[in-house]
Amino acid sequence: MSTYLKATFLGGLLLLATPSVHSTEIPQPQSLPPAPKREFRGVWIASVANIDWPSRPGLTSAQQQAELITMLDRAVALKLNAVILQVRPAADALYASSYEPWSEFLTGEMGKAPTPDYDPLAFAVAEAHRRGIELHAWFNPFRARHPQGKSPIAANHVSKLHPQWVKKYGKYLWLDPGETEVQDYTVNVIMDVVKRYDIDAVHLDDYFYPYPERNASKRVIDFPDTPSWQKYLQSGGKLKRDDWRRENINTLVQRLYQEIKQEKPWVKFGISPFGIWRPGYPAQISSTGGFDAYQEIYADSRQWLVKGWIDYFAPQLYWKIEKTQQSYPVLLNWWLKQNPLGRHIWPGNFTSRVGDRTSAAWPANEILYQIKTTRGFSGATGNIHYSMKPLMQNRDRIVDVLEKDAYPTQALIPASPWLDKTLPTQPTLQIERYTTTGKINKISWQSPEPDKVWLWVMQTKTGNQWTTQILPRSQTSYLFNSQNSPLPIDTVAVSAVNRYSTQGQPAIGN
């Protein structure tokens, strides 16, 4: 693979251009670079109650942008490859929306745009992609008002425009999932973002029907959905009320998956449910006294996985490995057995418990051991950290631990072959050499189909050692120097990765 089409001299350098390698010209096995490591490495950035970003409401646009860039740069330094940004905490928006008002967690006042005006989601997508990081847009589908909301409710909030859809429940306002119009509205809000923004995934967390609220007598308050329940019965519905509530959530999940794929097949759909499907599943998990998400928030999360209504499944395994009643490895192993269609399993980790100054605080090594535990199970291919704050604060030196022992090298996000298996087109590669030594000085590359490229995998070989770097799509050249490559490069290989995270054949030169 060292045949060149042309050679020219420029500035003391010898330029050598290699032809594209045709499918019949397969390099010898010893010439092929190794496959890059595959692992999803995500982090949640929560906006509700200003948990992560913005750090407080009312920051200027420049301050908001600076904070977000600092977080993205930390993600790059940690060799993470995805951020999950909360863009709709409670029927409000951290983006320009014709459906819902600006979030008060952004500006301090519901309905007030950032000053100077900008679109935080468009900014986040552009900055994440510039760094080769996926941006997953995180929505709460039914929460309409959070107790931390303090400003007056905007006139264009759903509770003002459609009060019949909204129920007061404890300290919250909640959209009623049993109303057909609510289902339509929620889907329309999310699909509006899918259509207008270059996001990489839609993400839902564990909030569907609300977690149970209790009255002054400590008795659980039933969710006030009698009007929608009566409509269902009058229409001929036969399900019991609990089953009907679960079916409302099932309908939303299935519908979202289908509509996302019809609009943009490469946009993934992921859900991060409560980490236990039901108490007693598996048998080692406590069957008494534990929270039952199936029964109490009507989330039949196992069905979504079994039916393949999601592309990735991130159960919140927020317990220590050693905690017998909710053991991290026991739960992860059980979830892996509920995955007949081979969807991605990327458990969520309670990284915020590290060094949180409470008696329940975890050491940083707990998260490291959980990551290593995940890697020990076939079928589990990544982790998601909740949330960004402990990584920004480097609690208990968690950043140092992750950099050194968990993420020393970059990784590609695992591919999603059920969505598309098409290989990206092989790039063309140009090599520049020093005329005095003939050693490689610079490489440049391009794809015949640049719009289909998401990332580049650049690999270099010195002696028998390959080194892999994952680069953003905007980078199409690399200059070698004594800092980034102290030893001479013998062989280079560049391959394209598409939006499905499928890697194409490399162009190789030496």
Side-chain angles (χ1 to χ4, degrees), residues 5 190 254 257 259 316 343 351 421 428 461:
L5 288 179
I190 294 173
Q254 185 179 20
Y257 188 76
E259 295 205 18
Q316 296 174 17
R343 298 299 192 250
T351 309
K421 295 181 181 180
T428 56
K461 185 181 181 185

Side-chain angles (χ1 to χ4, degrees), residues 199-329:
I199 62 173
D200 300 284
V202 167
H203 182 92
L204 306 182
D205 58 12
D206 56 314
Y207 288 91
F208 295 97
Y209 278 83
Y211 279 80
E213 297 278 345
R214 297 179 183 272
N215 60 22
S217 303
K218 306 299 182 183
R219 295 177 64 88
V220 171
I221 304 169
D222 195 29
F223 184 70
D225 57 359
T226 298
S228 57
W229 167 239
Q230 291 299 327
K231 286 181 190 175
Y232 169 74
L233 293 177
Q234 291 165 9
S235 70
K238 302 297 184 184
L239 293 175
K240 295 179 180 179
R241 194 165 187 171
D242 287 356
D243 294 331
W244 164 75
R245 286 172 171 168
R246 273 185 290 275
E247 193 57 27
N248 292 331
I249 305 303
N250 292 340
T251 298
L252 176 82
V253 170
Q254 185 179 20
R255 183 174 169 189
L256 271 175
Y257 188 76
Q258 292 171 343
E259 295 205 18
I260 291 167
K261 293 300 174 277
Q262 288 170 2
E263 183 66 31
K264 292 181 178 177
W266 62 88
V267 172
K268 293 185 284 289
F269 181 37
I271 300 182
S272 179
F274 187 75
I276 299 171
W277 176 58
R278 301 204 71 179
Y281 294 86
Q284 301 99 305
I285 300 303
S286 175
S287 59
T288 59
F291 180 73
D292 188 346
Y294 178 92
Q295 188 62 36
E296 298 182 66
I297 59 173
Y298 307 99
D300 188 1
S301 53
R302 178 183 177 274
Q303 181 172 186
W304 314 332
L305 181 59
V306 169
K307 297 283 190 180
W309 295 339
I310 42 86
D311 298 304
Y312 70 88
F313 193 78
Q316 296 174 17
L317 303 188
Y318 287 178
W319 302 278
K320 279 189 170 185
I321 290 173
E322 66 188 26
K323 190 171 177 62
T324 306
Q325 289 184 319
Q326 298 100 358
S327 168
Y328 181 96

Side-chain angles (χ1 to χ4, degrees), residues 429-432 440-445 458-460 471 476-480 489 491-494 509:
L429 180 63
Q430 180 173 286
I431 298 176
E432 299 179 17
I440 296 174
N441 172 66
K442 180 183 178 181
I443 61 172
S444 304
W445 60 89
M458 185 193 76
Q459 297 174 283
T460 59
L471 305 174
T476 55
S477 65
Y478 195 89
L479 181 65
F480 298 99
I489 301 299
T491 306
V492 294
V494 178

